[in-house]
Amino acid sequence: MVHGRISRLSVRDVRFPTSLEGHGSDAMHTDPDYSAAYVVLETDAEDGLKGYGITFTLGKGTEVVVCAVNALAPHLLNKDLRDIVGDFRGFYRQLTSDGQLRWCWCVLLPNQIGPEKGVVHLATAAVLNAVWDLWAKQEGKPLWKLLVDMDPRKLVSCLDFRYVTDVLTEEEAYEILQKGQVGKKEREEQMLVHGYPAYTTSCAWLGYLDATLKQLCSEALEDGWTRFKVKVGADLQDDIRRCRLIRNMIGPEKTLMMDANQRWDVPEAVEWMAKLAEFKPLWIEEPTSPDDILGHATISKALVPLGIGVATGEQCHNRVIFKQLLQAKALQFLQIDSCRLGSVNENLSVLLMAKKFDIPVCPHAGGVGLCELVQHLIIFDFISVSASLKDRMCEYVDHLHEHFKYPVIIKAASYMPPKDAGYSTEMKEESVKKHQYPDGEVWEKLLAAQGN
C-alpha cells in the first residue's frame, strides 16, 4: 500500500574519473567522467524506506542538473506519495510544465534547458526515478514486476499523451496493454529463466589502444558475447582499420553495430557509412544531430540498399522527438534512455508508440546506473508490450556496477530480471561519499594532483 509524506529531498553530485583510462570515449566525447545527479527521497512513514533516483551526466554540468533538481524540490516536499502516484500524469505534467521555471529556462538556453528537454528533463528523470523506486519498494516488487502486474488502465493513467495523440491515443495505449495480457505469464517465465539478450560496448571505446581493444574483445568472446558495438566517426581510415580488426576477431556470423555519437553532417554520414559497409554493421547509431528528424530520415533511406539500419534515441529529450522519428521512418532501431526521458512515465509512452509502429526497441545503457535502470523497462516491454525478441537487444557496459547496492546480473550475455524490490537505483553510501564532487576522497586527491 502506497503511503508516507515526502519529508526530505537531497541531491548530490557524484562523479567517477573514467576519462583517465578512456572509458566511455567516443568521437564527440573524448574525455567523459561518468557522473550522476543522485537524488534521495525520504518520507515520514515508519517503515524507513527511501527512494533513490539518478540521472546520468558526463562530469562538468552535473552541478546544473543538481540546481534544477533543487528547483523542482518544492513540488514534492510535504506531498503524500499516495496523492502523487494517484494522479501520476498530473504530477508528471506539474514537474515538466512549471510556469515560471519553464519560461525562464526556455529563454535562457532554449536548446538545452527549455520545457521537456535538457536539464529540466534530466532533473525530472532523477526525481521521478526516485518516486518509482520508492513506490516499488513499498509494494515489495522490483520495478519491472510492479509494471507487469499493474492494471492496464492504471498504468495508462500514469502517462502524459499530450502532443502525441495524433499517433497514439490513451485508448490505443490501453488496447496495446490489454493485448499484451495474452501470454504474459509465459513470457515472464521466459525472462526469469533466460533473461533479456544484451550486446556489449565495453570492448571498443574510441580512446582505447588496439592492445586493449583486442584483449577486451577476446575476453568477451570467451564469455559468450555474440553482439558487439564499436565507436566510429573521428577518422575514416582509423575506423576502417579498427572495424576490420574487430570483424576479423568476432568472425562474420556475429553481430556488429557502429556508433558515431552525432559526429557527422547528413551527406557525410551517408558517405562515411558507404565506406564502412564492407564490415556488415547491423546499424549506425546517432549518425547526426539527435534533433534532426529529417536528416535521420535521409540517412535511413540512403543506407537501406547497404543493409544498414539507423538507430537513435539516447539523446532524444522527449516523446515528441520519438513520435516524429517514427512518423518520418527515420530509424529502424529505437533507443530509449532511462534518464534522458522523463523517467518511467515518458519511457512507457515511447515503448507503446514503438509497438504501434512495429519498430524494435534496443535501449541505450552503460553510464552510471543506466544498465541497472533500463533493464526494468526492457523486460517490462517484452512481457507486456512487444511480446517479441526479434531484432531486439539491450546495451551493456561492464563498469561502475560495483558502486550499486543491487547491480545488474548478466548470464550468457543476457540481463537476468532483478529480484530485489525497487528500481535498482540505490548506490552504496561509501561509493557516494568517496566520489562526491568536489570534496569526496577521490576528487580531493585528483584535484590536488592537478594543482586545483
Side-chain angles (χ1 to χ4, degrees), residues 206-224:
L206 206 58
Y208 281 177
L209 298 174
D210 284 2
T212 302
L213 189 155
K214 290 179 180 178
Q215 176 187 341
L216 293 175
C217 194
S218 178
E219 292 173 356
L221 287 166
E222 290 177 6
D223 289 338

Side-chain angles (χ1 to χ4, degrees), residues 381-428:
D381 180 57
F382 172 68
I383 295 172
S384 297
V385 181
S386 73
S388 172
L389 292 179
K390 180 177 171 52
D391 294 327
R392 296 166 188 269
M393 62 192 106
C394 186
E395 184 173 22
Y396 176 72
V397 177
D398 187 19
H399 62 221
L400 303 180
H401 304 296
E402 67 273 16
H403 300 293
F404 284 82
K405 190 172 181 180
Y406 309 107
V408 295
I409 297 175
I410 298 289
K411 291 183 179 179
S414 296
Y415 280 92
M416 301 309 296
K419 296 181 179 179
D420 295 290
Y423 198 5
S424 306
T425 42
E426 184 176 351
M427 299 180 74
K428 296 176 181 177

Side-chain angles (χ1 to χ4, degrees), residues 290-291 293 316-326:
D291 296 330
I293 289 93
C316 291
H317 42 255
N318 60 45
R319 63 197 178 281
V320 180
I321 297 294
F322 278 109
K323 179 191 76 169
Q324 294 179 67
L325 285 165
L326 290 165

Side-chain angles (χ1 to χ4, degrees), residues 2 16 26 42 59 64 80 104 116 118 185 192 219 301 315:
V2 183
F16 298 89
D26 57 54
E42 300 177 39
V64 183
D80 195 297
C104 177
E116 297 197 69
K185 183 177 179 181
L192 290 170
E219 292 173 356
K301 184 177 180 180
Q315 296 285 348

Side-chain angles (χ1 to χ4, degrees), residues 186-219:
E186 290 77 11
R187 291 192 295 276
E188 183 173 336
E189 285 299 318
Q190 180 180 343
M191 285 291 98
L192 290 170
V193 174
H194 300 290
Y196 197 95
Y199 73 86
T200 179
T201 308
S202 302
C203 306
W205 297 110
L206 206 58
Y208 281 177
L209 298 174
D210 284 2
T212 302
L213 189 155
K214 290 179 180 178
Q215 176 187 341
L216 293 175
C217 194
S218 178
E219 292 173 356

Side-chain angles (χ1 to χ4, degrees), residues 219-230:
E219 292 173 356
L221 287 166
E222 290 177 6
D223 289 338
W225 289 92
T226 61
R227 305 174 184 90
F228 298 78
K229 189 167 77 177
V230 58

